[in-house]
Amino acid sequence: MSGHPDIDALVDRARADVASARTTEDIRAVAATVSGKKSPLAEAGRRLGTLEPDERRELGRALHEARSTIEALIEERRSTITADELARQMEADRIDLTEFIAGAVPAPAGRGRLHLVTQTRDSLEDVFVGMGFEVAEGPEIETDWFNFGALNIPPAHPARGMWDTFYLDLGAPESTLLRTHTSPVQIHLMETAVRTGGLPIHAVMPGRCYRRDTPDARHLPVFHQIEGLVVDEGITFADLAGTIEVFTAAYFGPDIHSRLRPAYFPFTEPSAEFEVTCTICHGAGCRTCSQTGWIELGGCGMVDPAVFDAVGIDADRWSGFAFGFGIDRCAQMRHQIADLRALIENDIRFLRQF
Ligand code: DAH
């Protein structure tokens, strides 16, 4: 108590005002009214000059004490408010880790699997690697020479109509295109072998191909083939037929067989289409195989000497066979997929069956 009822009243009012402040804003406003320049406290200070020296000294000390008390009250209240606000903010920012356990976030994605086409490609490769073949790959964008010319399909040859395709304008002097089959990889392998002394060749070449086909149950404009090439001394048509038969039984099962029917391909002579026992009716005849009991899988034949000439292989010393067939078609036959388009629709209910 200061002994000055007015000053005591000032301090009491300030105490009540400070106690009522709830926020940083409140305490700033309260501080201005109870201790700022326009506060009663400051006004009383300004009146001191009009007093007698003794009275002035005594009242001055009382005012000084009152100011100290009030400022201490303000500081104490300010720090309480700051601590409260911080605590409230932290509570608002808190992350409840148990929410994760309760499933508030989506369950982690299931483990994926290889697409059926990739699985099929892998198992086809396994069969051929088991028979002594190597696996090779080539580019999906080819020049006219690799896709056609070196394969004995000159410009304007009617056989080009069998492989109508997507041409690309890359500004190169020679026309470039999306490959229509994996046969150009044969040319790459043979050219490399000639350059590096790499003959003989026993290789399979899987990969993606493109054709200007309208999609339907048995065709996709983007599809997959696997090519085979053997170039060695003394290779005959019997080696080709034997290889196809061993592959067919190994991949489709011992009750599925192969047969060759004469056909024409510009890059093989003689050429054949190879067919395998219909996997739906097992040879009895059904709608899928048009009652023949057989389903066509691909083409094959003995490498044409014109192709050997194109890559610089001596056709008097070396002979060889080649084959090519659809990977997607294999998957379709092995798993009895009614419509090939299911392979590219990305319907997870279909894909997770395999
Ligand atoms: N490239 C041919 C096609 O896509 C398939 C083919 C036929 C490949 C005969 C060959 C072959 O290697 O010898 O229709």
Side-chain angles (χ1 to χ4, degrees):
M1 289 290 115
S2 65
H4 293 269
D6 290 350
I7 296 180
D8 289 345
L10 265 183
V11 172
D12 284 347
R13 182 139 18 91
R15 191 190 308 278
D17 286 352
V18 166
S20 74
R22 291 276 164 272
T23 67
T24 313
E25 272 307 301
D26 291 351
I27 194 68
R28 191 177 300 136
V30 166
T33 34
V34 302
S35 74
K37 284 196 190 96
K38 292 181 184 159
S39 63
L41 196 61
E43 253 160 46
R46 278 193 288 277
R47 276 198 310 270
L48 282 178
T50 64
L51 301 176
E52 292 303 313
D54 281 353
E55 216 183 338
R56 187 196 312 164
R57 199 176 308 114
E58 209 246 321
L59 193 62
R61 195 181 304 123
L63 281 177
H64 180 71
E65 265 171 34
R67 176 171 290 280
S68 307
T69 308
I70 290 173
E71 284 177 355
L73 288 170
I74 292 171
E75 272 328 299
E76 193 193 328
R77 185 70 195 140
R78 197 197 303 279
S79 69
T80 309
I81 287 175
T82 311
D84 282 356
E85 286 186 347
L86 190 64
R88 238 176 290 137
Q89 189 59 45
M90 280 168 61
E91 180 59 27
D93 289 349
R94 201 161 73 100
I95 298 173
D96 181 359
L97 295 177
T98 62
E99 278 184 342
F100 288 78
I101 297 161
V105 287
R111 192 144 178 245
R113 67 189 71 205
L114 295 177
H115 190 278
L116 176 58
V117 173
T118 310
Q119 292 182 37
T120 307
R121 172 188 161 151
D122 285 351
S123 35
L124 291 170
E125 284 179 14
D126 284 350
V127 170
F128 285 110
V129 166
M131 293 166 73
F133 286 77
E134 285 172 28
V135 179
E137 281 184 282
E140 288 176 28
I141 295 177
E142 285 291 12
T143 60
D144 198 273
W145 166 255
F146 282 99
N147 198 79
F148 294 126
L151 289 164
N152 200 27
I153 316 173
H157 192 285
R160 287 203 182 202
M162 293 158 74
W163 293 284
D164 202 2
T165 187
F166 303 97
Y167 286 86
L168 305 167
D169 186 2
L170 301 180
E174 201 181 351
S175 68
T176 42
L177 48 97
L178 294 176
R179 68 178 176 194
T180 58
H181 49 182
T182 43
S183 300
V185 191
Q186 292 186 35
I187 305 300
H188 288 288
L189 287 192
M190 287 190 278
E191 285 192 347
T192 306
V194 167
R195 229 181 313 115
T196 61
L199 290 172
I201 296 170
H202 306 87
V204 288
M205 300 142 259
R208 191 172 293 145
C209 306
Y210 305 82
R211 276 185 211 176
R212 235 180 48 186
D213 278 342
T214 305
D216 64 25
R218 287 163 52 85
H219 297 91
L220 297 174
V222 179
F223 59 103
H224 303 81
Q225 285 190 335
I226 184 164
E227 191 83 11
L229 176 69
V230 170
V231 180
D232 207 337
E233 288 169 308
I235 297 294
T236 70
F237 202 93
D239 297 309
L240 169 58
T243 301
I244 299 269
E245 175 60 21
V246 170
F247 150 75
T248 302
Y251 180 73
F252 290 105
D255 54 338
I256 305 291
H257 296 284
S258 63
R259 72 174 186 183
L260 302 179
R261 301 207 310 159
Y264 168 74
F265 295 101
F267 35 91
T268 42
E269 182 59 36
S271 302
E273 269 166 10
F274 78 87
E275 299 181 334
V276 300
T277 316
C278 177
T279 51
I280 310 282
C281 62
H282 286 254
C286 67
R287 266 181 50 217
T288 306
C289 61
S290 311
Q291 310 304 331
T292 62
W294 297 92
I295 293 210
E296 187 206 322
L297 200 57
C300 60
M302 302 304 292
V303 179
D304 194 302
V307 174
F308 281 146
D309 275 355
V311 296
I313 287 180
D314 177 2
D316 288 335
R317 175 171 171 203
W318 304 96
S319 58
F321 67 78
F323 57 83
F325 55 91
I327 295 178
D328 320 74
R329 190 65 66 79
C330 282
Q332 179 172 40
M333 287 174 54
R334 183 143 141 185
H335 299 286
Q336 274 121 50
I337 298 166
D339 193 321
L340 263 195
R341 286 169 290 194
L343 293 176
I344 54 168
E345 279 164 357
N346 283 341
D347 186 334
I348 207 79
R349 292 165 302 180
F350 168 78
L351 293 173
R352 68 153 64 104
Q353 298 176 88
F354 308 103

